């Protein structure tokens, strides 16, 4: 008659200790780095979206204020309205992070809005009454702050994507990616479209 192995409390403790040590070793080897870095990419992207939306929300009031003092600048005002419409018409979600064409379209549309706003700011120089209007000054301050936030959000996103992409392409992350996270793709990143594109546009009056 075969006797069943007995499990003593000491043996159970040893097994538990072994499992804990194995878990610590795996954690130390970066087994969780890829999903952790991916979540940071998504979080950073959310901030990019939020800041661009914040800017888009400022545009209608800005256009109306300028129109009150410079209605004859119809072409410039129209360009801003159209650029905002194009920028906000692009539906973005997390799928854009693995779609280079869609990310490029998004970046281009936001760049066109930046350009249109710069032209509008230049036009304001011709109208002293506009430049001294309190509502306009408040919008100026908000727009300037938003452009700075956009620059910071973009920088953080670029760094997060670089860290994630590097992790899945280098040892030991490359091993964990092939074994556990093969469905997680390389993330797309912003590309510089102009000199000093990583700097916030200057909003001066």
């Amino acid at each position: 008659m075969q006797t069943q192995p007995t499990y003593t409390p000491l043996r159970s403790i040893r097994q538990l200790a072994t499992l804990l040590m194995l878990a610590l070793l795996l954690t130390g080897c970066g087994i969780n780095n890829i999903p952790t870095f991916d979540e940071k990419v998504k979080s950073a992207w959310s901030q990019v979206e939020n800041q661009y939306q914040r800017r888009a929300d400022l545009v209608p009031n800005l256009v109306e204020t300028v129109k009150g003092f410079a209605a004859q600048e119809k072409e410039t005002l129209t360009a801003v309205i159209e650029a905002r419409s194009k920028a906000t018409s692009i539906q973005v979600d997390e799928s854009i992070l693995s779609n280079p064409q869609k990310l490029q379209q998004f970046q281009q549309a936001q760049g066109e809005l930046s350009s249109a706003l710069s032209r509008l700011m230049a036009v304001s120089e011709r109208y002293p009454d506009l430049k001294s209007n309190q509502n306009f000054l408040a919008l100026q301050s908000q727009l300037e702050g938003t452009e700075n936030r956009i620059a910071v959000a973009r920088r953080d996103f670029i760094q997060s994507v670089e860290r994630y992409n590097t992790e899945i392409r280098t040892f030991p992350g490359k091993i964990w990616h092939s074994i556990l996270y093969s469905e997680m793709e390389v993330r797309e990143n912003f590309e510089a479209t102009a000199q000093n594109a990583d700097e916030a546009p200057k909003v001066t009056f």
Side-chain angles (χ1 to χ4, degrees):
M1 181 175 177
Q2 234 176 356
T3 58
Q4 296 294 325
T6 57
Y7 293 91
T8 64
L10 182 59
R11 185 174 180 181
S12 297
I13 291 171
R14 284 175 179 170
Q15 288 176 333
L16 181 60
T18 301
L19 289 172
L20 287 173
M21 286 182 64
L22 182 59
L24 288 172
L25 285 172
L26 288 174
T27 301
C29 288
I31 192 172
N32 292 320
N33 283 357
I34 293 175
T36 299
F37 294 163
D38 187 52
E39 288 304 314
K40 289 182 179 178
V41 169
K42 294 174 183 175
S43 176
W45 174 250
S46 294
Q47 284 304 311
V48 171
E49 285 188 86
N50 288 342
Q51 298 310 324
Y52 275 128
Q53 185 59 54
R54 178 187 174 94
R55 181 175 69 174
D57 291 343
L58 288 172
V59 170
N61 284 339
L62 182 62
V63 168
E64 287 302 313
T65 301
V66 173
K67 188 186 295 184
F69 292 85
Q72 62 271 34
E73 303 291 346
K74 184 176 180 181
E75 183 178 345
T76 303
L77 292 166
T78 300
V80 172
I81 294 169
E82 290 178 349
R84 178 190 184 275
S85 178
K86 184 176 180 181
T88 56
S89 68
I90 299 175
Q91 298 299 314
V92 291
D93 52 33
E94 290 178 3
S95 66
I96 198 174
L97 301 178
S98 55
N99 188 328
Q101 185 177 14
K102 195 170 183 181
L103 184 60
Q104 186 178 18
Q105 289 174 348
F106 176 81
Q107 183 178 3
Q108 183 178 350
Q110 295 297 340
E112 289 174 3
L113 179 54
S114 294
S115 179
L117 284 169
S118 294
R119 292 195 298 274
L120 184 63
M121 296 303 104
V123 162
S124 70
E125 290 291 334
R126 306 173 196 165
Y127 302 93
D129 289 345
L130 171 62
K131 289 173 62 179
S132 62
N133 177 266
Q134 290 303 310
N135 189 38
F136 184 73
L137 291 173
L139 288 167
Q140 169 201 354
S141 177
Q142 292 177 58
L143 182 60
E144 186 175 37
T146 300
E147 292 291 358
N148 289 330
R149 290 187 185 94
I150 287 172
V152 171
R154 281 173 58 100
R155 181 202 65 197
D156 292 346
F157 172 72
I158 289 168
Q159 291 175 349
S160 295
V161 171
E162 287 176 349
R163 189 177 187 186
Y164 167 81
N165 286 344
T166 299
E167 181 68 20
I168 66 177
R169 288 170 168 167
T170 57
F171 181 85
K174 190 172 183 179
I175 295 175
W176 296 126
H177 183 255
S178 63
I179 297 173
L180 299 174
Y181 309 113
S182 58
E183 78 285 356
M184 298 177 72
E185 301 174 321
V186 170
R187 294 302 196 183
E188 292 301 319
N189 213 339
F190 283 118
E191 295 180 3
T193 55
Q195 188 176 9
N196 300 326
D198 57 335
E199 297 178 5
K202 298 194 185 309
V203 184
T204 56
F205 300 88

